[in-house]
Structures are given as C-alpha cells and as structure tokens.
Amino acid sequence: MGTDIHDYVEVRQADGTWRATTADERTRPCVEGITIIPQSGIYGDRNYDVFGILADVRNETRSKHLVPGGPYRQKAPYVPISKPRGFPTDVSTEVVEAADWWSCEAYSHSHLTLREVMEFDWTQEVTMHGWVTPADFLRHRLGVSPQYKWEDVSARRRVKVSLEKMADIVGAEAYWSDIQRLEPTGGLFDWKDRYYTKLEWQVKYFEVAVYFLGQSLPQLWRLGAPDDVRLVFWFDN
C-alpha cells in the first residue's frame, strides 16, 4: 500500500484564532468560478520526495515496499523542513474533526507556516543514483535527470556495462532527437532494454517538488501574510 497526505489550510483571524479555508476561497481570482483544488487541501499528489521534505515521511533511500531491484530514489535522506511536530495547540475545529475520521490510520501529524515553506532552501541538492538505460544515459549527458533508475539489474537478458561502453552504445553524436530511438519499447527482443550502466547525478530539491511549488503553494499567497497562513497535515497508508 502507498502513503497519502491529507492537508488543510488554516488562516489566522483578526481575533487570533485559526480557521480552515475552503476550496472556493482559493479560487483563481482571474478565472471566475473555477476552483484549483476541489477538496479541502492544496496537495494530493503521492510524491514521497515531497513527503520527505515536508515532514521526514517516506524519506528512505529506496522504497521498502518494492521488491529487491526496484527503483532507487536518493543516496541519502532529504533534509526535512521539520520532523512531524503534531497539531498546533490552537488548531481549528474543522481540522480536528477531519483528523478524527482518520484516527485509526493517520500518523505523523504536523504543521508548517507559509513562511517556513517559503524560507526553506529548495536549492539544496541530493545525489540520485541507479542503473539506467541508453535513453536515460543520453538524457543525463544532455543535462536532464534520468526518468527511471533501478537498484539493480538481474534479469537474464539484461547486461551491466561500463560508462565507456554505454557511451559507445549511445554514440558520441547522439542528441535530443535520438532519445526516442533509444527508448525501450518493452518488446521481448528489444536491445534498448538490454544494456544498463550505473550513474550518479545531482538534483535540486525544487526539481522533485515542481507541482507542489508551482501549483499548490501559490494558492496560499493570496490568503494572508506568511505567518498567518499554515498547512496542517497528516499521512496514512
């Protein structure tokens, strides 16, 4: 089973209390009647990289729930904004009621102000590694992170090769137009799914959180000052 996040947005009122917002309040102001996120929170993507950064949840260097040989993620855990700190003492009634509904499955309750999220250093880098195909080797050579990387390659038809051998397979003149030619098709005798080489590359935190930073976070900016807007969230399996 996978892990999901459940989040609510709270705004501090004039009397100092906090109130949970609705999706309508986060409607895009320039497009009348269209809500960006139709549920209570702003983020529903199952992105373990983001979970690790927000609250040190699912922050493993590889998924424990995948069979050996499955996808790697990073060589070392992400530095989180904060480890789970529980609900704030003045959390709104709406959030408490929602969390109670998930009480038998919820864990790692936490909260972050908009200021904490905005002031976090999203330009930090993490080292990714894994075995990659010719197409992803070319992506890496052209400055783009590989799409797929594997802990190990053990199937009978698959062969581990050196970086030098993979460079020969891909070709010195290969460019963007060659990625499709090198992309595995999944066919039984597809040579492009046969050769793998091991790579390491650097990824900035913001690169693994594009949707959260580009689509979810901007919904909070119009709700109030950075210290008066916060995310309250928890996780479930």
Side-chain angles (χ1 to χ4, degrees), residues 76-88:
Y78 291 101
V79 176
I81 300 174
S82 171
K83 289 183 177 294
R85 53 174 66 152
F87 281 171

Side-chain angles (χ1 to χ4, degrees), residues 2-234:
T3 298
D4 293 304
I5 188 171
H6 302 267
D7 65 286
Y8 279 74
V9 179
E10 292 186 327
V11 177
R12 196 197 317 259
Q13 305 302 295
D15 61 2
T17 60
W18 292 81
R19 180 179 62 83
T21 66
T22 66
D24 288 339
E25 292 175 85
R26 299 187 298 275
T27 298
R28 199 181 315 218
C30 59
V31 184
E32 182 179 356
I34 297 180
T35 56
I36 303 175
I37 300 293
Q39 69 262 25
S40 56
I42 61 165
Y43 189 70
D45 196 13
R46 182 181 285 181
N47 184 330
Y48 294 163
D49 299 297
V50 172
F51 297 174
I53 295 170
L54 291 180
D56 199 31
V57 170
R58 296 303 298 264
N59 200 12
E60 309 100 351
T61 55
R62 65 175 295 272
S63 175
K64 297 177 181 177
H65 300 277
L66 295 170
V67 297
Y72 251 118
R73 293 199 288 133
Q74 69 276 9
K75 290 192 71 173
Y78 291 101
V79 176
I81 300 174
S82 171
K83 289 183 177 294
R85 53 174 66 152
F87 281 171
T89 56
D90 53 357
V91 66
S92 64
T93 302
E94 299 95 327
V95 174
V96 172
E97 292 175 349
D100 285 346
W101 194 90
W102 285 95
S103 60
C104 60
E105 298 182 18
Y107 66 94
S108 295
H109 300 71
S110 195
H111 62 280
L112 296 169
T113 66
L114 177 56
R115 180 178 299 280
E116 289 178 298
V117 178
M118 292 175 60
E119 292 185 350
F120 182 69
D121 182 9
W122 292 91
T123 66
Q124 297 179 74
E125 292 186 338
V126 63
T127 300
M128 297 287 187
H129 65 153
W131 294 86
V132 301
T133 63
D136 274 328
F137 176 84
L138 178 57
R139 286 189 179 93
H140 174 259
R141 196 168 73 184
L142 295 173
V144 177
S145 295
Q147 292 184 355
Y148 305 99
K149 57 272 187 186
W150 302 95
E151 175 195 3
D152 203 353
V153 183
S154 57
R156 288 181 301 172
R157 295 185 300 106
R158 293 176 176 173
V159 179
K160 298 176 182 178
V161 299
S162 66
L163 292 172
E164 292 76 16
K165 176 63 175 177
M166 184 62 84
D168 291 338
I169 293 171
V170 170
E173 303 300 324
Y175 202 56
W176 291 110
S177 57
D178 294 290
I179 288 181
Q180 185 174 2
R181 172 180 62 84
L182 295 169
E183 203 76 75
T185 63
L188 181 60
F189 301 104
D190 184 6
W191 69 269
K192 293 163 291 190
D193 193 34
R194 181 179 181 184
Y195 298 105
Y196 285 76
T197 194
K198 193 167 188 179
L199 284 178
E200 288 190 3
W201 62 97
Q202 301 297 313
V203 174
K204 294 185 184 298
Y205 281 30
F206 68 77
E207 294 181 80
V208 300
V210 172
Y211 183 84
F212 176 75
L213 295 176
Q215 298 294 326
S216 300
L217 198 61
Q219 297 176 54
L220 308 186
W221 297 342
R222 62 188 298 262
L223 296 179
D227 290 322
D228 294 333
V229 180
R230 69 188 179 193
L231 280 176
V232 183
F233 54 93
W234 62 91

